[in-house]
Amino acid sequence: MNHTAKKLLVGTVGAAGLFLATTATANADTTHKVAKNDTVWDLSQKYGVSIQAIEALNNIDQNSHLIVTGQTLKVPAKDAQVSENNNTAQAADKKADTENTSDVTVKAGDTLWTLAQQYNTSVEKLRELNGLAADAYLIHPGNVLKVNGTVQATQQPAQTEQPVQQQTEQPVVQQEATQEQAQEPQLVVSANHTTHTVQAGESLYSIAQAYGVTVDSLRSANNLGATLLVGQTLTINDPAKDPAQEAAAQQVAQEQAAAQAQQQAAAQQAAQEQAAAAQAQQQAAAQQQVQQPVQNQAPAQTQTQAPAQQTQQTQQVQQQAQPTQVQQPQQQVVSTSADGSAIAAYAQSFIGTPYVWGGSTPSGFDCSGLTQYVYAHFGKQIGRNTIAQESAGTHIPVSQAQVGDLLFWGTPGSTYHVAIYLGGNSFVAAPEPGQSVKIGNMAYFMPSFAVHVN
């Protein structure tokens, strides 16, 4: 009898120990490693515990409810047991609640939490009825949602947890901002980095292009949301470009272009003045040649004729001289020994003359008409078209061209454009219909070969 009592006592003590061990295990705290997008409210729903219990156990600020990705939290088990009992009761009522389901159209300002309070249900039930994700918060005006329950005329807090829950049920934008703040300490800043302050009108794409980086690198370096804010400071990791240097280089290029334009304008004006002076000298020389015979005859006529006859003869000589001056061609031939600089200067005097197909006068030129007219002015006949002008001298490479030489585009025998070389990378030509005679740059339109006119 004593032996049986001892066995019974040992068995009772063992069962009690097993019960205590089970109770201890059930009451032991559970740990949870915070994942991306986790919130205290999510964990309270997942583990069936109150928000206050989690925050009190882990010393979490009950105003910001801030948790950080990778943080290990303790989840109290006591509330979990209460939650299991509550879940059992909820499962029992689920069928009855489902039978009382109705449709609601979402209005501006509605949230899952306000609808749950209005219809005396929970956010979880609304998610389950409508197939929403466990972390879904956004609903849009016009959405039709299923709800179970009836509209409550007076809203009373069902439990002390609701005010805290209401604080955590904030719009998605606020939750994302909280999550960004939680992730900020984990940002990695490259040793080669700079910062940029967002200006009005800028976008992630334009900023990425300016610094030579990708949009993804901007997002990962700054944990950006859906929008940029003017005045926001961004971190740029490993920039391939410096917008400030590029802006300075662009400004220098613009200044150089403006200076070059001024130089070209000055050169053009000087060429026009030189050509005008040369033309004036030619006209004076031609007039002197016409008047010289009159001056030679005047002494003899003074000795043999009366003053009246001398006056009459002088007038006749002048009348004879005038038709001779009018009948001279408009283009004066200067000399066959003119140097290339004079040819280049005379060609530049026609800058601004309109392009005319087949034109060969100052009223309008095509490319070969201009070169023919300029060289004819110096007594050189080079032909009318580009093919003929190829044979006007010696073929040389463009690198050996001298000022005043002809530049050709196309293969010999099939050229399609001609110009007069000005030195450096410049040439003067009548380019194409709709344009005028102007100075071109070989850096943008390289000739095929050159001809030095014999």
Side-chain angles (χ1 to χ4, degrees):
M1 186 68 178
N2 291 336
H3 180 70
T4 303
K6 288 181 180 180
K7 285 185 178 182
L8 181 59
L9 179 60
V10 171
T12 303
V13 171
L18 179 60
F19 174 75
L20 291 174
T22 304
T23 303
T25 302
N27 290 333
D29 294 338
T30 301
T31 60
H32 175 87
K33 189 173 184 179
V34 178
K36 186 177 180 180
N37 297 329
D38 275 352
T39 65
V40 178
W41 188 86
D42 291 334
L43 299 181
S44 71
Q45 295 298 304
K46 179 177 179 180
Y47 291 98
V49 297
S50 67
I51 294 174
Q52 298 96 323
I54 296 176
E55 291 179 342
L57 184 60
N58 294 276
N59 295 322
I60 298 174
D61 188 342
Q62 296 187 1
N63 292 322
S64 65
H65 313 288
L66 185 63
I67 57 176
V68 181
T69 301
Q71 180 181 358
T72 300
L73 300 179
K74 295 180 180 180
V75 182
K78 181 178 180 181
D79 286 352
Q81 184 65 34
V82 175
S83 177
E84 290 179 2
N85 296 335
N86 291 339
N87 290 338
T88 302
Q90 290 176 359
D93 295 337
K94 184 175 181 180
K95 181 176 180 180
D97 289 342
T98 305
E99 292 175 354
N100 196 23
T101 298
S102 60
D103 293 337
V104 173
T105 301
V106 177
K107 301 185 297 296
D110 283 347
T111 65
L112 289 176
W113 189 83
T114 58
L115 291 177
Q117 295 300 300
Q118 183 178 5
Y119 287 91
N120 195 25
T121 183
S122 66
V123 174
E124 285 296 326
K125 288 183 180 180
L126 290 179
R127 288 174 176 158
E128 292 176 3
L129 285 174
N130 294 277
L132 300 177
D135 58 351
Y137 297 99
L138 266 182
I139 55 176
H140 302 280
N143 290 156
V144 177
L145 300 181
K146 294 179 179 179
V147 296
N148 56 353
T150 57
V151 178
Q152 300 299 309
T154 303
Q155 297 294 330
Q156 296 293 338
Q159 50 186 334
T160 57
E161 295 180 8
Q162 289 181 358
V164 178
Q165 180 177 355
Q166 184 175 4
Q167 293 177 0
T168 59
E169 280 287 339
Q170 297 296 330
V172 177
V173 175
Q174 183 175 349
Q175 284 193 349
E176 290 179 351
T178 303
Q179 293 167 3
E180 290 173 5
Q181 293 174 0
Q183 295 175 1
E184 282 180 1
Q186 298 181 358
L187 294 179
V188 177
V189 178
S190 171
N192 177 25
H193 75 278
T194 186
T195 58
H196 174 83
T197 302
V198 178
Q199 305 295 325
E202 288 185 330
S203 64
L204 283 179
Y205 177 79
S206 64
I207 296 173
Q209 292 295 306
Y211 285 92
V213 298
T214 64
V215 173
D216 289 340
S217 69
L218 289 179
R219 290 188 179 280
S220 61
N222 297 276
N223 277 339
L224 298 173
T227 58
L228 284 179
L229 300 177
V230 175
Q232 181 178 358
T233 300
L234 301 181
T235 299
I236 314 294
N237 283 335
D238 301 316
K241 298 179 183 178
D242 187 346
Q245 292 182 356
E246 292 190 356
Q250 184 177 4
Q251 183 176 0
V252 171
Q254 290 175 350
E255 292 175 353
Q256 291 177 348
Q260 184 177 1
Q262 291 178 355
Q263 292 176 355
Q264 289 181 352
Q268 180 180 348
Q269 183 177 359
Q272 291 176 349
E273 293 175 353
Q274 183 178 357
Q279 187 174 5
Q281 291 177 356
Q282 295 168 13
Q283 291 177 352
Q287 186 175 2
Q288 185 177 3
Q289 291 175 0
V290 173
Q291 292 179 352
Q292 186 174 3
V294 178
Q295 295 175 356
N296 293 336
Q297 291 176 2
Q301 291 174 352
T302 302
Q303 296 174 0
T304 59
Q305 296 179 355
Q309 293 176 348
Q310 182 177 358
T311 302
Q312 182 177 2
Q313 289 177 354
T314 301
Q315 292 176 351
Q316 291 176 354
V317 170
Q318 292 175 351
Q319 291 175 357
Q320 291 175 357
Q322 288 176 356
T324 302
Q325 184 177 0
V326 172
Q327 291 176 357
Q328 289 180 352
Q330 181 178 1
Q331 181 180 3
Q332 299 292 332
V333 176
V334 178
S335 171
T336 58
S337 61
D339 60 10
S341 298
I343 293 174
Y346 186 65
Q348 290 180 81
S349 68
F350 297 105
I351 291 176
T353 301
Y355 182 96
V356 175
W357 178 263
S360 59
T361 67
S363 62
F365 290 113
D366 61 12
C367 64
S368 57
L370 173 65
T371 53
Q372 179 196 31
Y373 189 87
V374 171
Y375 271 90
H377 178 75
F378 295 95
K380 297 179 182 291
Q381 301 302 322
I382 61 173
R384 176 62 185 85
N385 56 42
T386 59
I387 306 301
Q389 292 176 10
E390 291 179 24
S391 304
T394 304
H395 287 220
I396 56 175
V398 175
S399 60
Q400 298 179 9
Q402 300 178 1
V403 176
D405 286 350
L406 295 175
L407 301 176
F408 289 89
W409 283 260
T411 58
S414 301
T415 52
Y416 58 87
H417 188 56
V418 63
I420 294 176
Y421 183 51
L422 301 179
N425 285 330
S426 300
F427 59 84
V428 61
E432 59 184 354
Q435 298 189 15
S436 303
V437 176
K438 65 179 182 179
I439 295 176
N441 192 323
M442 291 194 299
Y444 303 104
F445 191 34
M446 176 60 68
S448 304
F449 62 93
V451 169
H452 182 73
V453 178
N454 298 326

